[in-house]
């Protein structure tokens, strides 16, 4: 999932985490950035890609989610991870596009707390947008084009499990489809956030591809698009990437 399992969690320049020594696209964020790797490669087999991802740690400079499961020590590691990404980018000459992705709700849903660089813990919703805008500004300052990829549309149920059940019962994957309007209502705060972000950077909306005609496809034919409640499966990422020509959508950003 992603280019290789060694690419997850710690900052690494392992050759397993890139498809070229002169990458053109940096994939930066949490597991929702990671699951786009196959989609980019499937839409252009020559895509020069490098992956820098840490689960739950979104591509925000100077701020990280924190709670009982992710204490201050973890949040501090997340902030440092993202600093290392920017430091690396500063010295890199080949990257043209930085693809940022996350479910984003981990930074701004109701009741979410985040830790700032100085250790202060505040409500995520109060700082998410300014911190993300500042991150985009820093990227442009380094001469690269930021491209934001939205989270996937979600129904609230484990779609991977639903699809497995359909296969087991010899039923079609349509039984796991869900209504886009319902998914949009569930993710309203994130979609509002991304519409604000769209003033500063191109946003690629995965729902436009996954939900043709208002119905979101958890599976198409024999392709399980999702592997759980939100992540694309490897083959799902490749399918969606080809369908929407993800590489071209990124490379046409300005």
């Amino acid at each position: 999932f992603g280019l290789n399992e060694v690419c997850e969690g710690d900052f690494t320049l392992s050759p397993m985490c890139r498809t070229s020594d002169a990458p053109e696209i940096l994939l930066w964020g949490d597991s929702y950035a990671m699951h786009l790797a196959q989609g980019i490669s499937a839409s252009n087999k020559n895509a020069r890609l490098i992956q820098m991802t840490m689960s739950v740690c979104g591509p925000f400079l100077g701020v990280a989610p924190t709670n009982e499961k992710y204490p201050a020590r973890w949040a501090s590691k997340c902030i440092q991870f993202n600093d290392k990404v920017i430091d690396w980018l500063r010295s890199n000459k080949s990257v043209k596009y930085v693809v940022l992705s996350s479910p984003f709700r981990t930074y701004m849903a109701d009741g979410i707390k985040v830790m700032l660089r100085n250790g202060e813990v505040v409500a995520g919703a109060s700082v998410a947008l300014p911190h993300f805008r500042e991150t985009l500004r820093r990227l442009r300052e380094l001469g690269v084009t930021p491209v934001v990829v939205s989270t996937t549309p979600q129904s609230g149920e484990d779609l991977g499990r639903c699809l497995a059940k359909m296969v087991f019962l010899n039923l079609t994957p349509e039984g796991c489809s869900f209504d886009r309007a319902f998914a949009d209502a569930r993710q309203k705060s994130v979609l509002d956030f991304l519409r604000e972000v769209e003033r500063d950077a191109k946003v690629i909306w995965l729902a436009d591809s996954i939900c043709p005609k208002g119905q979101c496809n958890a599976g198409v034919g024999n392709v399980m698009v999702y592997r759980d409640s939100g992540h694309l499966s490897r083959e799902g990422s490749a399918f969606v990437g080809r369908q929407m020509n993800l590489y071209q959508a990124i490379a046409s950003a300005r």
Side-chain angles (χ1 to χ4, degrees), residues 37-45 47 237-239 241-242:
Q38 278 72 27
I40 296 170
S41 296
S43 55
N44 178 354
K45 67 180 190 315
S237 175
F239 174 82
R242 277 193 296 268

Side-chain angles (χ1 to χ4, degrees), residues 182-238:
F182 172 72
D184 285 355
R186 285 186 78 250
Q187 295 175 303
K188 183 180 185 305
S189 60
V190 171
L191 300 183
D192 288 348
F193 169 84
L194 288 172
R195 285 187 195 104
E196 284 295 321
V197 165
E198 214 166 14
R199 300 171 186 215
D200 302 276
K202 178 170 183 170
V203 175
I204 295 171
W205 301 90
L206 293 180
D208 290 348
S209 173
I210 294 170
C211 313
K213 302 178 183 157
Q215 272 297 102
C216 302
N217 298 319
V220 178
N222 60 359
V223 175
M224 291 191 178
V225 175
Y226 287 75
R227 69 175 179 86
D228 57 18
S229 60
H231 294 97
L232 299 171
S233 67
R234 279 176 178 276
E235 65 272 22
S237 175

Side-chain angles (χ1 to χ4, degrees), residues 34-84:
M34 214 185 301
H35 75 169
L36 299 173
Q38 278 72 27
I40 296 170
S41 296
S43 55
N44 178 354
K45 67 180 190 315
N46 299 316
R48 304 196 321 274
L49 179 66
I50 187 166
Q51 175 187 335
M52 294 183 179
T53 53
M54 177 177 171
S55 285
V56 187
C57 180
F60 287 71
L61 291 173
V63 60
T66 188
N67 53 39
E68 278 178 21
K69 193 176 171 190
Y70 297 98
R73 195 176 67 246
W74 181 90
S76 174
K77 184 186 171 190
C78 170
I79 289 171
Q80 286 166 16
F81 174 88
N82 287 328
D83 287 345
K84 286 174 186 170

Side-chain angles (χ1 to χ4, degrees), residues 118-144:
N118 63 5
E120 191 186 345
V121 174
V122 299
S126 65
V127 298
L129 189 60
H131 271 77
F132 198 66
R133 282 206 158 122
E134 173 62 14
T135 303
L136 296 173
R137 190 190 68 74
R138 290 275 296 280
L139 290 171
R140 289 205 184 273
E141 204 174 72
L142 292 175
V144 295

Side-chain angles (χ1 to χ4, degrees), residues 17-169:
C17 305
R18 60 183 111 117
T19 63
S20 163
D21 288 335
E24 178 191 26
I25 297 172
L26 164 62
L27 190 52
W28 178 26
D30 50 37
S31 56
Y32 279 74
M34 214 185 301
H35 75 169
L36 299 173
Q38 278 72 27
I40 296 170
S41 296
S43 55
N44 178 354
K45 67 180 190 315
N46 299 316
R48 304 196 321 274
L49 179 66
I50 187 166
Q51 175 187 335
M52 294 183 179
T53 53
M54 177 177 171
S55 285
V56 187
C57 180
F60 287 71
L61 291 173
V63 60
T66 188
N67 53 39
E68 278 178 21
K69 193 176 171 190
Y70 297 98
R73 195 176 67 246
W74 181 90
S76 174
K77 184 186 171 190
C78 170
I79 289 171
Q80 286 166 16
F81 174 88
N82 287 328
D83 287 345
K84 286 174 186 170
V85 173
I86 280 285
D87 287 347
W88 175 83
L89 203 50
R90 194 173 286 118
S91 62
N92 170 274
K93 295 289 174 273
S94 66
V95 169
K96 291 185 190 166
Y97 307 99
V98 178
V99 174
L100 305 94
S101 197
S102 164
F104 296 107
R105 65 172 181 272
T106 42
Y107 283 77
M108 39 159 298
D110 284 349
I112 291 283
K113 296 274 188 261
V114 295
M115 190 176 95
L116 304 179
R117 200 180 281 287
N118 63 5
E120 191 186 345
V121 174
V122 299
S126 65
V127 298
L129 189 60
H131 271 77
F132 198 66
R133 282 206 158 122
E134 173 62 14
T135 303
L136 296 173
R137 190 190 68 74
R138 290 275 296 280
L139 290 171
R140 289 205 184 273
E141 204 174 72
L142 292 175
V144 295
T145 302
V147 184
V148 181
V149 178
S150 76
T151 184
T152 51
Q154 294 160 29
S155 68
E157 75 167 314
D158 186 330
L159 298 163
R161 186 175 293 168
C162 178
L163 289 165
K165 193 165 106 185
M166 292 295 153
V167 170
F168 181 72
L169 297 172

